[in-house]
Structures are given as structure tokens and as C-alpha cells.
Amino acid sequence: MTPPADATAPVRHPEAPAPGELLGAHYEHCFGCGGDQPHGLHLEARAQDGVRVTAEFTVKPAHQGAPGLAHGGVLATALDETLGSLSWLLRVIAVTGKLETDFVRPVPVGTVLHLDAEVTAVAGRKIYSSAVGRIGSPDGPVAVRAAALFIEVKVDHFIDNGRPEEIRAAMADPDQVRRARAFEVNP
């Protein structure tokens, strides 16, 4: 995905999480990062310098497609979740507009996949980013790559389109921080 000629370099928000800080789940029921999803990825993203995050998750038996190997859709989800967490560094609400994924090599069950994502450009409401997933370590062999376009949205996007019972439950959470974070990144 090529940003337009008038795109600008991304700027990390001054109130973004500090480099090295664990971002935590934006919503406990999120398949990508939520702790209340028994078969979810339980992906843990960490802020880095610039507009970059790293994350990792362990491929479990519930994530397999072919016997003993991660399902490609699960790998795409891991990339999408990691790319979506970049919004926290920009301090915007954004959703996936387009995700292009390259599957370079199989990822066995039991593997720890190390993901590294960064925003490459911004053009109005469009956020261009890329990510790579490596097997076993941050310097391990490349297994998956992605390029993505995220679109900045208002919180109404979630309120108008989400299931009313989940929206009400999230908005009724007495923990003000959890209530706000539920609507921070791509659902």
C-alpha cells in the first residue's frame, strides 16, 4: 500500500504510552488482546520508540488450521491486532480499512510469534502501517508480513454499529479507564 504524495510522517502523541510500556487489553472480550477470551490470542503489545509497537503471542492448539500449524486467519488477526494498537501512540480511534498479508512460512503450534509494527505515513484520516511476524525471537525467521490502511473514526462508529448489549455493558463499566479503552482501537 503506497501512501499518497501529500502524506506526512507519523507523529507520536506527547501523551502516548512511554517506550517499553505494556499497552494492555483495550477490551477484555477482544479476540486479539482480551484476557476473557479463552481461545483468543492474548496478544500483548508494548510501545516502542517512534510510532512503533512490538507484540507476541503463543500459537496454541485452538489456533491451528492444518494439523500442528497456525491458521492463516489467526496469523492475519495477530497482525491486525498489532497494527491496530498503533492507534494508541497516535491517540486516535481507528479501524482497519485494508489489510494485505503475506504468508512467508508455516508457523507451528507452540511457536511464539514476535510481531513488530509501525506507522509509515498519515494522510488526513488515513493511517498507513506495516508489520512483520518472526518465529521464536525478534530476530527469528520471517513468517508473516502485512501492510495496512487504518481509517480514523469517531466513537459513534462503535456505538452505532456494535451489538447494543455489549455497547451498554462496556459503557456501564464502573471503571472509567476500562470504559474509555473499550472504544480505543479496532474492535
Side-chain angles (χ1 to χ4, degrees), residues 59-125:
V59 179
K60 298 183 176 148
H63 302 144
Q64 65 189 311
L69 298 173
H71 189 286
V74 169
L75 298 176
T77 300
L79 290 162
D80 184 45
E81 184 70 26
T82 304
L83 289 157
S85 66
L86 290 164
S87 298
W88 295 4
L89 303 182
L90 298 172
R91 297 287 299 243
V92 299
I93 301 170
V95 296
T96 311
K98 185 174 186 176
L99 178 67
E100 295 176 355
T101 308
D102 296 318
F103 300 96
V104 178
R105 69 181 61 219
V107 179
V109 169
T111 297
V112 176
L113 191 65
H114 294 262
L115 299 136
D116 192 332
E118 68 178 335
V119 174
T120 56
V122 177
R125 293 177 43 226

